[in-house]
């Protein structure tokens, strides 16, 4: 089932508010009271299915990689590596080369 677009209350009225969701806190807020014909509020019932929970939008499991040894533990069909930000350029190139050999997808090439 598709989730509705959760937009901020009165996002259409004031441009400065933007569309990003903020919880409604007003005492008489119609959205907070779930009145009819008002935008939906995000609740626990809209959660994503367990099969896709925690996955990267590409469909792979996101795994942090700091060195070439970490690549050997990854399954190319399920996992994709994300190179740590603390890794330098020299080691980063080594990791990318090794990933190409093992046919492992790197999310932040």
């Amino acid at each position: 089932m598709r989730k509705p677009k959760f937009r901020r209350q009165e996002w259409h009225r004031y441009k400065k508010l933007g569309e990003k969701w903020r919880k409604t806190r007003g005492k008489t807020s119609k959205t907070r009271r779930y009145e009819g014909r008002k935008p939906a509020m995000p609740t626990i019932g809209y959660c994503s299915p367990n099969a896709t929970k925690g996955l990267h939008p590409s469909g792979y499991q996101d795994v942090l990689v700091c060195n070439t040894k970490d690549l050997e533990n990854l399954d190319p069909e399920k996992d994709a590596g994300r190179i740590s930000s603390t890794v330098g350029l020299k080691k980063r190139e080594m990791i990318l080369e090794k990933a190409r050999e093992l046919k492992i997808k790197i999310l932040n090439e």
Side-chain angles (χ1 to χ4, degrees), residues 3-4 6 10 13-15 22 28 30 41 43-46 49 60 83 88 90 98 108:
K3 295 180 196 176
F6 299 114
E10 298 197 346
R13 194 170 179 196
Y14 305 106
K15 190 175 183 180
R22 293 285 188 276
T28 59
K30 312 292 186 294
M41 273 179 48
T43 55
I44 199 72
Y46 289 112
Y60 291 100
I83 300 174
K90 193 173 169 183
K98 181 81 171 177
N108 59 343

Side-chain angles (χ1 to χ4, degrees), residues 2 7 12-14 17-18 22 24-25 31 33-34 36 58 62 66 69 92 98 100 104:
R2 288 184 57 200
R7 293 186 175 130
H12 54 85
R13 194 170 179 196
Y14 305 106
L17 294 180
R22 293 285 188 276
T24 54
R25 292 185 174 84
T31 305
R33 292 189 290 168
Y34 300 102
S58 63
D62 195 351
C66 297
K69 286 183 183 178
R92 185 183 190 90
K98 181 81 171 177
R100 284 189 201 105
I104 295 172

Side-chain angles (χ1 to χ4, degrees), residues 60-74 79-87 92 95 104-108:
Y60 291 100
Q61 185 71 34
D62 195 351
V63 179
L64 193 67
V65 175
C66 297
N67 54 43
T68 53
K69 286 183 183 178
D70 293 343
L71 288 173
E72 295 167 7
N73 301 332
L74 300 183
D79 300 329
R82 179 180 305 281
I83 300 174
S84 175
S85 63
T86 58
V87 175
R92 185 183 190 90
I95 292 172
I104 295 172
K105 184 178 174 74
I106 300 293
L107 299 171
N108 59 343

